[in-house]
Amino acid sequence: MTIQLPAETGGLRAYQPRAQPLARTTGAPFTSRTVFAAAHVVADPYADVSPGSPAAVDWDATLAFRRHLWAHGLGVAEAMDTAQRGMGLDWAGAAELIRRSAAEAKAVGGRIACGVGTDQLTAPASLAEIRTAYEEQLAVVEESGGQAILMASRALAATTSGPEDYLEVYGHLLRQVSEPVILHWLGPMFDPALEGYWGSPGLDAATEVLVQVIAAHPDKVDGIKVSLLDARREVDLRRRLPRGVRCYTGDDFNYPELIAGDERGFSHALLGIFDPLGPLAAQAVRVLDTGDAKGFRELLDPTVELSRHLFRTPTRFYKTGVVFLAWLAGHQAHFAMVGGLQSARSLPHFARAYELADGLGLFPDPELAETRMKTLLALYGVTQ
């Protein structure tokens, strides 16, 4: 059987879905890398909300997806960009998500790290107000038992007068954290409001400020998550980190080579693409645990085409593709998103995502995925 898919150049093309998914296995925790999947949230499709309203979350389905990731040995990076922080999920919703997910992690023995930001600020703010906002969110994460990820702050990017403000704010926070945190550098391709982060539009100067922050508090920094989609810059940064401070790649374009590393080191992972790739990514890392870098690359390199497709410009709308694949894979019963973001990508984009994911064997039930893809096509007026 074939399915007619819309081509990006117009018209329809025939595609023959695969018959069987690739086998996936669970197993012991990873030994060679620390790996987090930044996880999406599942919207409540029955809630009477509109774009701009507080998010209505299906908590049962959202937590079930996290159990799926933990079952494969992955850590969960909670309440991050992938969970639509600042794109449908406000701080009140994020706080509830953190509390619920952290409790679930404790119950099942899963690893969790949670985003700490300043998104409760809705108006221009002073540096003191930004520090207070960070502290409020940090308290929620620490009280929940999760590890904190100090996320890049839109408010700080808008308020700062230069690098010294970043040094002051981050120094203030790092001096008071109870456990080492993960810092977070999200490039403007993911969030245009973060242009010029660390006090400079030039990435070389910005890197120097980040290195100063870490060097001043190496005992309070578990690692730095880098999402610049620039592999060379990430490698240069990780070679400058103090001993014991990890580099977590957030590069959804170049992750296989960065995680595999070279003779001078490697990156750990905190990736949005590991939401749909969870089982396959876990299998690849377990191969890497045996020292088989070639086998690791053979498993993970073929996934890059899908990742680059989902994260294509405008990159910030990659969440739409992530949730779409979760629906096709049977992790949720619908394709609705908080903030109505299911409309952010085109039908040809969805068709290509389906084809690439199916080719990788990502769908546990290929027949279900095909049926759901045909349902979406029918809604757009494409008959089979």
Side-chain angles (χ1 to χ4, degrees):
M1 297 293 292
T2 61
I3 179 173
Q4 296 295 316
L5 297 177
E8 292 185 343
T9 55
L12 297 174
R13 55 188 173 82
Y15 173 71
Q16 184 172 351
R18 67 182 299 139
Q20 298 292 333
L22 296 180
R24 301 283 179 249
T25 59
T26 57
F30 309 131
T31 58
S32 64
R33 303 291 189 272
T34 300
V35 181
F36 291 98
H40 73 280
V41 293
V42 182
D44 178 356
Y46 303 119
D48 185 13
V49 295
S50 58
S53 302
V57 177
D58 180 337
W59 294 113
D60 289 341
T62 294
L63 295 177
F65 187 76
R66 279 134 183 83
R67 291 194 296 272
H68 153 74
L69 295 173
W70 286 319
H72 289 280
L74 298 160
V76 168
E78 189 57 277
M80 301 289 291
D81 186 56
T82 306
Q84 297 182 239
R85 287 289 290 270
M87 290 185 70
L89 187 72
D90 62 10
W91 166 236
E96 182 71 7
L97 178 63
I98 288 166
R99 293 186 182 100
R100 287 176 179 261
S101 292
E104 195 73 15
K106 185 177 181 180
V108 303
R111 182 165 186 167
I112 190 168
C114 305
V116 170
T118 62
D119 45 326
Q120 68 270 59
L121 299 173
T122 58
S126 67
L127 288 180
E129 290 169 330
I130 291 168
R131 289 195 303 268
T132 299
Y134 264 128
E135 289 170 343
E136 176 190 350
Q137 296 199 16
L138 182 62
V140 170
V141 172
E142 291 188 337
E143 289 166 5
S144 75
Q147 182 180 14
I149 303 171
L150 292 186
M151 299 172 66
S153 164
R154 291 176 179 175
L156 184 55
T159 300
T160 180
S161 60
E164 63 281 354
D165 291 336
Y166 289 89
L167 293 169
E168 192 278 326
V169 169
Y170 279 89
H172 175 85
L173 295 170
L174 290 173
R175 283 190 293 271
Q176 62 182 286
V177 296
S178 58
E179 299 291 340
V181 304
I182 299 173
L183 301 181
H184 177 251
W185 189 1
L186 195 67
M189 68 288 293
F190 288 94
D191 186 343
L194 298 177
E195 182 73 48
Y197 211 74
W198 303 112
S200 174
L203 294 181
D204 289 341
T207 299
E208 293 303 319
V209 176
L210 171 61
V211 169
Q212 286 185 56
V213 169
I214 296 171
H217 307 277
D219 59 323
K220 295 297 186 74
V221 179
D222 168 72
I224 169 68
K225 188 249 191 186
V226 186
S227 295
L228 299 177
L229 305 183
D230 184 335
R232 183 73 260 164
R233 185 169 295 279
E234 179 175 321
V235 171
D236 290 343
L237 172 60
R238 81 185 184 201
R239 289 175 178 171
R240 298 182 61 187
L241 295 176
R243 185 177 181 85
V245 175
R246 298 179 175 96
C247 180
Y248 290 93
T249 188
D251 187 332
D252 300 278
F253 283 6
N254 305 292
Y255 51 93
E257 65 185 83
L258 291 164
I259 298 170
D262 55 29
E263 67 282 355
R264 295 179 59 183
F266 55 81
S267 295
H268 299 268
L270 198 164
L271 287 160
I273 192 56
F274 279 7
D275 178 303
L277 292 184
L280 193 156
Q283 183 176 346
V285 175
R286 288 196 171 89
V287 170
L288 188 59
D289 286 347
T290 70
D292 184 2
K294 181 175 181 291
F296 167 80
R297 294 294 297 270
E298 288 174 348
L299 281 169
L300 215 54
D301 281 358
T303 69
V304 172
E305 185 178 4
L306 171 63
S307 188
R308 286 176 176 256
H309 178 72
L310 296 183
F311 285 77
R312 67 190 296 182
T313 304
T315 301
R316 63 188 180 278
F317 294 123
Y318 76 87
K319 297 95 166 173
T320 300
V322 165
V323 175
F324 170 66
L325 293 182
W327 173 56
L328 293 186
H331 293 299
Q332 54 195 78
H334 59 83
F335 179 37
M337 297 177 66
V338 299
L341 210 62
Q342 66 270 13
S343 65
R345 294 294 199 189
S346 69
L347 184 61
H349 183 88
F350 293 136
R352 183 59 177 157
Y354 162 72
E355 181 179 6
L356 290 170
D358 181 69
L360 292 168
L362 294 185
F363 301 131
D365 185 343
E367 185 176 348
L368 173 66
E370 180 183 351
T371 298
R372 289 185 169 182
M373 186 69 225
K374 287 180 176 177
T375 298
L376 183 69
L377 290 168
L379 287 173
Y380 279 78
V382 178
T383 58
Q384 299 297 315

